[in-house]
Amino acid sequence: MLKRQQRAAQNREDLLNAAITIFRQQGIQAPLQLVIDEAGVGRATFYRNFEDRRALVIALMEQALTRLEERAKRYSEYPDGFIQLIQNHIYNLPNLTALTEYWRVIDRNDPIMVQIYQRRDAILQPLIDQSIANQICRPDLSPKDYAMITSILRSSFQGLGDEEQMNLAKRAVDLLIHGIKA
């Protein structure tokens, strides 16, 4: 029984990883069969884990929020933790690039999206408050600004190879943090 549960958990993880890979390469509307093939599982296994594309996308968003939460906890011990979190996005390019389409697929007012945004804001607010208290970030910074920041970063990820994306992302983060003033 334990082995079956472990295999089921591994299948789900494989499907999520495959979805990130396929969606990054071909976009969010890529055929689900490509995800299934990339994961090396059968269609029945996919549908045991996810009712449809929407359920897969929501699972990917929740997975991304869990990763965000882990990084936020790690950076919470630093006065500039929010800045470090933004800088860390450079090293999460595959996930961030794939996620950019996910956020647009489901209506913002969908109850699931409302919950996701609330969770994101709850994760980010302590880091933002800490950075503001330490006079590292401007006092009007809010979790909603995070979406704008990630959108700016996303623009550097479009249509280029991994190394070029990394270089452009580093430049985008530098411009975000240090500005364009001389």
Side-chain angles (χ1 to χ4, degrees), residues 82 117 120-122 124-125 128 141-148:
F82 184 71
Y117 285 118
R120 179 203 63 191
D121 293 354
L124 295 172
Q125 193 64 61
I128 291 171
L141 189 69
S142 76
K144 290 185 180 21
D145 294 324
Y146 177 80
M148 189 174 5

Side-chain angles (χ1 to χ4, degrees), residues 129-148:
D129 291 344
Q130 182 173 319
S131 291
I132 291 170
N134 287 292
Q135 298 181 341
I136 292 167
C137 291
R138 51 190 294 160
D140 63 343
L141 189 69
S142 76
K144 290 185 180 21
D145 294 324
Y146 177 80
M148 189 174 5

